[in-house]
Structure formats: structure tokens, C-alpha cells
Amino acid sequence: MNKKKLVLSAMAVLATVSLAACSSNSSSKSSGTGNGSSLKLSTSYNNTSATDKTADEKSTLKVAEANDSPFQGISDPVLASNAEDADVFAPGGGNSLFNVDKNYKIVDGGLANQRIDKKAKTVTITLRSNAKWSNGMDVTAKDIEYAYEVVANKNTTSQQYSSDFNAIKGMAAYHAGKAKTISGITYPDGEKGNKVVIHLTQVSPSMKFSGNSFIWGTVEPYEYIKNVPIAKLASSAQIRKDPIFIGPYKLDKVVEGESTTWSPNKYYYGKKAQIKHISINVVSSNNIVKAIQSKKYDITASGLGSTSYKQLKNVKGYAKTGQPALSYGYFGFNLGHFDTKTGKNVMDKNSKMANKNLRQAMMYALNLDQVYKKFGNGITWRANTLIPPIFQKYWDSSASGYKLNIKKANKLLDEAGYKKRNGSKWRSDPNGKKLVIHFGAMTGNSTSAAEYQDYLQQWHKVGLNVQFTGGKTMEMNSFYSTLQAPKQNKIDIYSAAWSVSSEPTPTQMYGEDATFNMGHFVSAKNTKLMKEMNSNKSWNDKYRTKVFKEWQNYMNEQAAYAPDNFAYGWSPVNHRVKGYDISPANTEFWSNMSLTSSKLQ
């Protein structure tokens, strides 16, 4: 993961992971939990070289976006759902409102400042006086408010809405289509002023941090997009072809699915951009290593995987940087559907994967410890919960997660009635009917392909007939398109990853009304625990920590979503790059970089 996602994202986004695998019958002795990485990388590259005369107006920072599919091209963070879109449009600043410190706590000095009033139950957001879009338009109070309209509109294509937003007065009525405006968002100085006051039924401790699920962290260019129906925004020219931004760079050109190019934004309020041109190009995971070795790119747009690290850790001309990733891999099970009329996920008690024993058994059958011991290269290790360890305060280091236990997997299946009948090598369901489980997995490199084959082998060992959906891996956009349909029966279990927000509340991913809840898991206890994470009692951080840990153990026990891997996000940085620093507090990531020469070193 890199700075753009870590600091500027106000959302949970879908991501891909490229991992490796092996087949095994017994669990390895690797810890599999905790910070399983042995790496000690710096978040910055301290380049003290002098800048030579060749670094002129024509010099271009070359950025690689390692991905095996074209990016979708949705520049708006309210509407985007894939991490790849956030990456390729990152020089525009992500339309982010706030600056943060090293712990992602909101601080003054960004596009806007925030004030929380616990007694009045309000949050006041005040824009800086020189806030402008890259086309010269003023950023206004309406631009702050309109983001909420786009998130919550009944016809929106945004997938960011969750029940936490209902803490804003009038939001539930607007979301249901019963009101044309959000009554709880007001403008003390008018819509074209610089201040918005958000009136709430509760003020939560998560609001102190960027990326929380109550206060949206980006702005929308209202005057620029107001004539486009919200339902059609994601496909509009204003979003895909000629988007505007508030960051240090303006977009010069986008080649659909392939590349973006940038130059300095003269209207940017912050530090002046030092590099005159930036190009970001999609490079497949099979080609990224050769591209870096050939010195075609200065940096990568997001962290690379464990296989790339093994091949590139000693590459000449590059420094290695990194930090624990704001992401994790997971397995999801299809348990129901999304009711488009009520806007809620619904569990189907008769779904193929409804039996908890079956889900648990499938996880105990996998040997993730051995996979990452052999192929993780210190970058990737088995996850033990659905909260990554970068959130040290809330992550439960004592949770065991799912270690290989074939004996237990078989016992769970036997007890639930999944038995081999009439001499079959495969187990049938408890009613004696043929059981075929369809596994959805995204196409990646050769090591991820080997990993998927290992999963299938391990599941076959316990008598489960698991097959790839459609007989093969799926292209990323097709994979997520299938999962995000309100109802689907093509994928029963899937392997994916979250690029998470910098505040750990998981409502937007696993809430009853979260469209990102693609497995459609719903329970009263899950809802209760997630609400409790931001209750008044949770201003006491010891209590909040306790709730987070209880949620992690509950989700492990339910196995509707199960942890796969944690990772260390690392990136190579060419020696001609100066001022590179991915730490969260470096809120001028793009402006602080410069080039010491016209050619890569």
C-alpha cells in the first residue's frame, strides 16, 4: 500500500492480492499471526544527491500501477470502488478535505479544518479561504455537502453508504427517497460560503480520524457536475474524461484503462509541485519485475507483493521503502442477497454455504501458514482476524484464526451431515444431494495461480468438490461485477482483499445495509457490536478496544468472512527520486518529490 491510499482515501475499496502457494498436509511452525514480517523498511528514501542540470521542464516521474486488469477509470472517490482507480488518479489529491498526523488523526492545515462539539452533537467543517478546483472554481460549502448526496442518493452507484451515516439528522429520510435534502447539514454562510455544520444524533470517537464511516472525507465539484444525474455520474465525461481535482496536480490526459498523465495544478493551495510531468501506466504482475529491472519506472503506485520482493530486493538503482499495509486478504462466502427495495442485505437460511460447520471446515482445511512461510518472503503472512495489525490498539493478537487442522475439518463436516455416500469420493450435502462448491478467484500471476490450486487440493482432501467458477480464474472487473450483483449464484466462496480506510470501524464492509457486504452476512450480534464500537461508552478507549476484539473473535467463529493474509506494503524507489516519504503525516506526498536527473539511475 502507498501514501495515496493510506492518507487520502475516505473509503473502503476493493483490492487484489498476488500471493503464492504450496500443497501440504500439516501445519507449519510459523507463527502466522502478529507482525509476521521480518522486514525493517523505512517509510522514506533519504536521497541527498544534488540535482543536475538535466532535470528540466521535460523531466517526467514514471509510475507503474501493477495490475492484471485495466483500471475502471472512475476518478471520483465517492463513486470508485477499486483501489486501482484511487492509484491512477492519486496526484490529483483524492479530493481530500483533511490533513492527518502519523496516527491518521485529523489535524488542521488541509483543504479544511474540523471541529467536533460533543455537547452540541455537531461537526463543523471550515474550508480554507484559497481552496480552489484545478479549473479555477472555488471550493464551496455545497461541495462538502454534495458528497453526502452522492453517497446516499437512492439512485447512486456509490457503494460507500452504511448505517453509520444515519447518525446525521435527515440522512435516513434522504437515503430512502423521502426527502430531497439532508436536513442535518447546514450552511452558516450559505452554499457558496466556506463552512458546513453537520448535526448528529450521536458523536462518535472515530470522527477524530480520517476515513471514518460517519463524516465523509472528500468534496464534490458541485457546479461542475450538478447537471449530471447522480445515477449517471460514474459514466459521465466529468468523471471519466475531464475530471477536476483539488490536489497538487491536474489531469492532462487519461487513456482508458491504461494510463493517466499529469502536470502541476496552479490553483493548488499547498506546496508547489516540483516535478513538471507525471505518467502512471498499468503494468501486469508478470511484467512488473522486468519493468523495474529495466529501469522503466521510478516508483510503483501501490505496494508490490512477496514474489516481486524476492526478485527485486537487490535490484541496482533502487531503494526499498515500506510499512505495514492498510489492507488484508480474506475469504468470503455467499450467504444471501441484497434487497434493492429495502437497501439491506438478507441472509438466506437455505443457501448452499449457510451451514457454519461447512464454512469453518473449509478454512481449517487450508494451510495458509505453510503457504506464506514458503512464499511470503517476509512480506505476507497468515492473518488471524479481519482487523490488520497496523491498528495495533484494536487488533487482537491473541486470536488464533484458522490454522490447518484436517482432523477438525473432517469432524465438522461429518457432524453437519456432509458425508460421502454410495462410494463417492465427494461429500454430498446433509440431504444427500450432490454438492459442488464454486470458487471465485481473480486472474493473477503464476504464483497466485499456484495458490489457488493449493486451495482446491486442500478442499479436495476433505472430500469437498470445489471447482473454479466457470472452470477458470476470473478477470478482476468481471469478478467484482459478479459479486456486486444484488443476487448471484455463480460464486459460493471467493478470495479477495480489502484496501481499508485509516479508521478501523468495519461497518461499510460488513454492515446490514453495506453494499460492500458482498457475502450478505447479517446478524443481530454483528450489527450490535459494530454500533457499540462508536457508542458513547466507546469514548473510553479501553472499552472500545474490548468491543473490537470481541467482534474479531465473533467473526472468526461465524466464518462468513474469514481472514487470509496480512502484508507489508513495499515499493522500490529509483535513486533519482528525492523527497519520497509514504508516512501518513507527509500530507504533501506528491509536492515533496523531485527528480535529480532526467533519466532513471
Side-chain angles (χ1 to χ4, degrees):
M1 302 298 295
N2 69 9
K3 163 71 168 53
K4 287 88 72 185
K5 292 177 189 171
L6 295 177
V7 175
L8 302 180
S9 177
M11 58 186 179
V13 292
L14 307 170
T16 60
V17 283
S18 296
L19 306 167
C22 61
S23 179
S24 178
N25 286 296
S26 59
S27 178
S28 75
K29 295 181 180 179
S30 65
S31 64
T33 59
N35 185 359
S37 173
S38 59
L39 293 177
K40 299 293 182 182
L41 297 180
S42 172
T43 59
S44 63
Y45 168 46
N46 184 24
N47 183 358
T48 58
S49 300
T51 300
D52 64 40
K53 295 180 180 179
T54 65
D56 56 21
E57 295 286 320
K58 296 181 180 179
S59 297
T60 300
L61 177 73
K62 298 178 180 180
V63 185
E65 166 61 21
N67 191 38
D68 291 302
S69 297
F71 59 83
Q72 287 188 327
I74 302 176
S75 64
D76 187 342
V78 177
L79 300 169
S81 59
N82 287 336
E84 292 71 26
D85 281 342
D87 288 342
V88 299
F89 292 111
N95 296 348
S96 181
L97 275 168
F98 307 118
N99 276 1
V100 299
D101 66 13
K102 64 180 181 179
N103 296 312
Y104 307 106
K105 187 176 182 179
I106 294 171
V107 296
D108 288 354
L111 185 74
N113 296 335
Q114 173 183 273
R115 295 292 179 266
I116 301 172
D117 189 328
K118 290 174 65 175
K119 186 176 181 180
K121 296 181 180 178
T122 61
V123 171
T124 300
I125 299 171
T126 305
L127 290 162
R128 61 191 308 128
S129 59
N130 58 341
K132 290 183 180 295
W133 292 96
S134 55
N135 67 348
M137 292 192 320
D138 289 338
V139 182
T140 67
K142 181 63 179 180
D143 295 341
I144 297 174
E145 184 275 341
Y146 199 57
Y148 292 89
E149 290 193 33
V150 177
V151 167
N153 187 276
K154 192 175 182 180
N155 299 314
T156 190
T157 57
S158 172
Q159 298 175 51
Q160 304 296 335
Y161 195 84
S162 77
S163 59
D164 285 347
F165 283 116
N166 292 340
I168 299 172
K169 291 181 179 180
M171 181 63 95
Y174 175 79
H175 182 56
K178 298 178 180 179
K180 293 184 178 180
T181 60
I182 304 167
S183 61
I185 302 181
T186 59
Y187 315 93
D189 303 316
E191 291 186 3
K192 293 186 178 181
N194 70 337
K195 186 178 293 186
V196 160
V197 179
I198 302 174
H199 304 264
L200 302 131
T201 57
Q202 70 170 100
V203 177
S204 83
S206 71
M207 293 177 187
K208 297 182 293 182
F209 300 90
S210 71
N212 70 79
S213 53
F214 293 84
I215 304 300
W216 189 255
T218 71
V219 284
E220 290 286 297
Y222 174 71
E223 288 295 331
Y224 188 64
I225 62 176
K226 66 181 181 181
N227 293 323
V228 180
I230 288 176
K232 296 182 179 180
L233 261 181
S235 59
S236 69
Q238 289 92 327
I239 299 301
R240 289 182 174 269
K241 187 178 179 181
D242 299 304
I244 58 175
F245 301 89
I246 53 86
Y249 285 87
K250 65 180 181 66
L251 182 69
D252 291 330
K253 185 179 180 181
V254 56
V255 178
E256 186 176 353
E258 297 180 9
S259 66
T260 58
T261 52
W262 306 79
S263 60
N265 170 19
K266 67 180 181 180
Y267 298 107
Y268 180 52
Y269 66 84
K271 183 176 180 178
K272 184 179 179 180
Q274 301 176 71
I275 300 172
K276 301 305 179 184
H277 306 280
I278 294 176
S279 65
I280 304 177
N281 291 268
V282 172
V283 182
S284 73
S285 58
N286 287 323
N287 292 330
I288 188 63
V289 170
K290 186 176 181 180
I292 297 297
Q293 291 172 336
S294 303
K295 294 181 170 56
K296 291 184 177 180
Y297 296 97
D298 291 289
I299 60 175
T300 58
S302 58
L304 297 181
S306 57
T307 302
S308 298
Y309 181 78
K310 183 179 180 180
Q311 296 172 304
L312 291 173
K313 63 181 179 181
N314 296 317
V315 66
K316 293 183 179 180
Y318 289 84
K320 299 187 297 292
T321 63
Q323 63 184 345
L326 269 172
S327 64
Y328 61 90
Y330 70 98
F331 293 92
F333 293 85
N334 181 21
L335 303 178
H337 67 278
F338 185 80
D339 189 328
T340 55
K341 292 183 179 180
T342 63
K344 293 183 178 181
N345 289 286
V346 179
M347 290 261 283
D348 181 359
K349 64 180 181 180
N350 296 317
S351 68
K352 188 187 299 184
M353 311 308 295
N355 192 297
K356 184 171 64 175
N357 277 35
L358 173 60
R359 303 194 300 268
Q360 289 182 344
M362 291 189 73
M363 294 311 303
Y364 279 121
L366 298 179
N367 193 354
L368 300 176
D369 275 323
Q370 186 70 10
V371 167
Y372 300 124
K373 180 183 180 182
K374 288 192 175 183
F375 295 95
N377 297 312
I379 292 288
T380 310
W381 61 99
R382 179 178 67 85
N384 67 325
T385 81
L386 298 177
I387 296 290
I390 191 171
F391 299 113
Q392 293 182 9
K393 187 181 296 184
Y394 301 121
W395 168 63
D396 189 350
S397 62
S398 67
S400 60
Y402 283 93
K403 298 179 181 180
L404 175 68
N405 193 329
I406 293 292
K407 183 178 180 180
K408 189 168 186 177
N410 281 319
K411 184 180 179 182
L412 285 165
L413 292 169
D414 290 340
E415 289 176 348
Y418 293 90
K419 299 180 179 180
K420 296 178 182 179
R421 294 174 171 88
N422 303 318
S424 174
K425 65 179 290 188
W426 303 119
R427 294 175 184 268
S428 54
D429 72 15
N431 296 317
K433 294 182 179 179
K434 181 180 179 181
L435 177 65
V436 178
I437 298 171
H438 297 103
F439 173 48
M442 286 175 279
T443 302
N445 57 21
S446 58
T447 51
S448 59
E451 176 187 5
Y452 300 147
Q453 288 299 328
D454 182 67
Y455 295 166
L456 295 177
Q457 290 172 24
Q458 293 297 111
W459 288 325
H460 292 171
K461 286 178 182 178
V462 295
L464 293 175
N465 186 5
V466 185
Q467 304 174 6
F468 282 125
T469 293
K472 59 183 179 180
T473 57
M474 306 172 69
E475 186 272 332
M476 182 190 72
N477 294 315
S478 175
F479 171 85
Y480 280 123
S481 178
T482 300
L483 283 178
Q484 291 171 310
K487 188 174 185 177
Q488 61 88 18
N489 58 9
K490 295 179 180 179
I491 297 175
D492 300 313
I493 178 176
Y494 62 94
S495 172
W498 288 122
S499 173
V500 299
S501 160
S502 46
E503 200 288 316
T505 303
T507 318
Q508 287 172 290
M509 295 176 284
Y510 305 122
E512 182 179 14
D513 54 2
T515 50
F516 276 141
N517 184 354
M518 297 174 291
H520 315 294
F521 173 66
V522 180
S523 77
K525 186 170 183 179
N526 182 39
T527 300
K528 180 182 178 181
L529 286 171
M530 289 193 293
K531 283 185 176 180
E532 200 62 24
M533 291 172 183
N534 290 295
S535 67
N536 285 331
K537 290 172 67 175
S538 285
W539 284 95
N540 179 324
D541 209 56
K542 287 184 178 180
Y543 178 78
R544 192 172 196 239
T545 299
K546 178 183 176 183
V547 175
F548 264 95
K549 291 184 176 181
E550 185 178 351
W551 179 81
Q552 289 167 77
N553 283 282
Y554 171 72
M555 292 297 280
N556 276 353
E557 189 267 335
Q558 290 295 308
Y561 292 98
D564 178 0
N565 64 80
F566 294 141
Y568 202 95
W570 84 278
S571 297
V573 182
N574 188 265
H575 285 168
R576 74 161 178 162
V577 177
K578 204 168 187 175
Y580 183 93
D581 183 358
I582 58 173
S583 60
N586 178 27
T587 52
E588 291 284 13
F589 174 81
W590 293 100
S591 294
N592 280 334
M593 276 193 294
S594 63
L595 300 175
T596 61
S597 66
S598 60
K599 295 182 180 180
L600 276 77
Q601 301 296 300

